[in-house]
Amino acid sequence: MKEKILEIKNLTTRFHMVDRDITAVDSLSFDLGSHEILAIIGESGSGKSVTNLSIMKLIDEPGEISAESRILFRDGDKYLDLNKLSEKEMERIRGDRISMIFQEPSASFNPLFRLGSQVGESLHLHGKRNKEEAYHEALKLLAQVHIPNFSLRAQDYPFQMSGGMLQRMMIAQALACHPDILIADEPTTALDVTTQAQILGLLKEKQKETGMSVIFITHDLALVEDFCDRILILYAGSLMEEGNARDVISNPMHPYTRDLLRSIPKPGMFKDKDKLFAIPGKVPDPGEKIEGCPYAKRCTGCTAECLAKKPDITEKDGRKVRCFHAYS
Ligand SMILES: Nc1ncnc2c1ncn2[C@@H]1O[C@H](COP(=O)(O)OP(=O)(O)OP(=O)(O)O)[C@@H](O)[C@H]1O
Ligand code: SF4
Ligand SMILES: [Mg+2]
C-alpha cells in the first residue's frame, strides 16, 4: 500500500442499552492509503456507518468508543490518535481535514438557509475565508461539481433541488476545505442508476484532482470494482475479508463475499429458471452473544469448528480473510 493516511487499530464501538450492550464494531483494524479509495461493504446493520462515525468521533451516548481503540490520522510527519483528542480539537479536524457526505442530504443541509451559503460555510467556520469570500468559493465549487446555472441555484433552498443535484451540493460542501479524507456513506443509494453513475464519476474525478483519500460505504458490491482500489467486507461489526478490489471480486476467499456476489442481479436472469440468489437468514442481532463465526448460521460450509470458535484473520499476499475454510 501507498503511504498511510489513516490507521485504525482495534476499533470497538458499543451502545449501552438499558437491557444489554450492542457491539456495533468489534476490534476492527484497517488502513487507508494516501490517494486511495477504500470501499467498506456489508449488509444493513453490519456496522459501516458506526465505523465511520467513530472515525469522526460522532458517537453520542449511549454509544462509546472503547479506550483501547486507536484512530491514527497522519498529520505531517506524525500521527494523531483521534480517539484521544478533545471535542474542541476534533472540531478543527471535522469538515476541514476529514469530511463526510451522508446518504440523506437532510443530514447535511439546514432546510431554512440558501444552499450557496451552506456549501461554503466550513471555509468560514474554519477561519479560512470571510463570509463573502466563502460564498464566492462556494460558487466555484458548485461549478466544479457541474451544477447548471450555479450562481442562480446557489440561491435555492434544499427543497428546491432534485436528489442528484443535492448530492452534488453535498459533495461540493464536503470538498470546500480540501480534506485529506472524504467519507462517503452510501452517497448514491437513494438515486436512480444514471444519476448514481454520474455521482460516482464526479467523486472519482474530484479524488484524482485533489489527491484526497476516500472511504466509500455501500452495500452494493456491483458498484465498486472499477471505482475503488481496495475493498473491506464487514459483517456483524467484524472484518471478514479485505484486499485489492479486482482480486476480491474476481476471486473472493470468504463465503460471505461469494454469497454477496451471487446476490447481484444480472440482466436476463429472470427469463430462465434462474432466480435471484438471496443469502438465507439474516444478520445476527447485534446484542446477541456469538461464540463461533458470526456468519455460521447462514454459511453452507459451516462445520463444528466454526460454531465453537470465532476464526482469526489470516493474511496472505496482501489479502486478509476471517474463515477456517477460506477459498484459495
Ligand atoms: N445510536 C444507536 N443506538 C443503538 N444502536 C445503534 C445506534 N446506531 C447504530 N446502532 C446499531 O449498530 C449496528 C450497526 O449499525 P450501522 O448504522 O453502523 O449499520 P450499517 O452497516 O451502516 O447499516 P445500513 O446499511 O442500514 O446503513 C446496528 O445493529 C444498529 O442497530
Ligand atoms: S468460518 Fe466457517 S461458518 Fe464462518 S464463513 Fe468460514 S466456513 Fe463459513
Ligand atoms: Mg449505514
Side-chain angles (χ1 to χ4, degrees), residues 123-141:
L123 285 163
H124 176 56
L125 288 176
H126 288 284
K128 299 188 168 184
R129 301 280 190 282
N130 65 31
K131 273 196 172 164
E132 199 180 321
E133 290 166 345
Y135 192 81
H136 282 292
E137 281 298 319
L139 293 186
K140 280 193 214 159
L141 286 158

Side-chain angles (χ1 to χ4, degrees), residues 77-125:
D77 52 6
K78 61 180 191 308
Y79 281 87
L80 293 176
D81 186 350
L82 303 187
N83 200 23
K84 295 205 163 66
L85 297 192
S86 65
E87 178 53 23
K88 221 175 173 55
E89 289 167 318
M90 272 313 292
E91 277 171 11
R92 284 203 285 273
I93 289 183
R94 274 189 222 120
D96 184 18
R97 313 282 309 276
I98 309 179
S99 328
M100 192 154 179
I101 49 180
F102 298 87
Q103 179 178 347
E104 252 310 303
S106 58
S108 275
F109 290 114
N110 186 326
L112 301 177
F113 293 95
R114 293 181 197 275
L115 284 157
S117 59
Q118 297 193 61
V119 166
E121 196 178 21
S122 57
L123 285 163
H124 176 56
L125 288 176

Side-chain angles (χ1 to χ4, degrees), residues 10-109:
N10 290 317
L11 175 66
T12 299
T13 304
R14 294 192 181 88
F15 292 94
H16 304 291
M17 311 308 281
V18 177
D19 53 340
R20 61 197 177 143
D21 274 2
I22 288 177
T23 304
V25 181
D26 191 3
S27 301
L28 180 66
S29 299
F30 67 92
D31 300 327
L32 175 68
S34 293
H35 321 303
E36 182 178 58
I37 307 185
L38 170 72
I40 300 187
I41 295 170
E43 285 167 282
S44 187
S46 56
K48 305 180 297 294
S49 294
V50 173
T51 298
N52 288 289
L53 291 170
S54 303
I55 294 171
M56 297 289 268
K57 294 273 294 293
L58 288 173
I59 299 292
D60 294 324
E61 280 186 19
E64 186 195 16
I65 303 171
S66 79
E68 299 76 46
S69 306
R70 303 189 73 198
I71 305 168
L72 304 176
F73 172 58
R74 203 185 65 229
D75 183 30
D77 52 6
K78 61 180 191 308
Y79 281 87
L80 293 176
D81 186 350
L82 303 187
N83 200 23
K84 295 205 163 66
L85 297 192
S86 65
E87 178 53 23
K88 221 175 173 55
E89 289 167 318
M90 272 313 292
E91 277 171 11
R92 284 203 285 273
I93 289 183
R94 274 189 222 120
D96 184 18
R97 313 282 309 276
I98 309 179
S99 328
M100 192 154 179
I101 49 180
F102 298 87
Q103 179 178 347
E104 252 310 303
S106 58
S108 275
F109 290 114

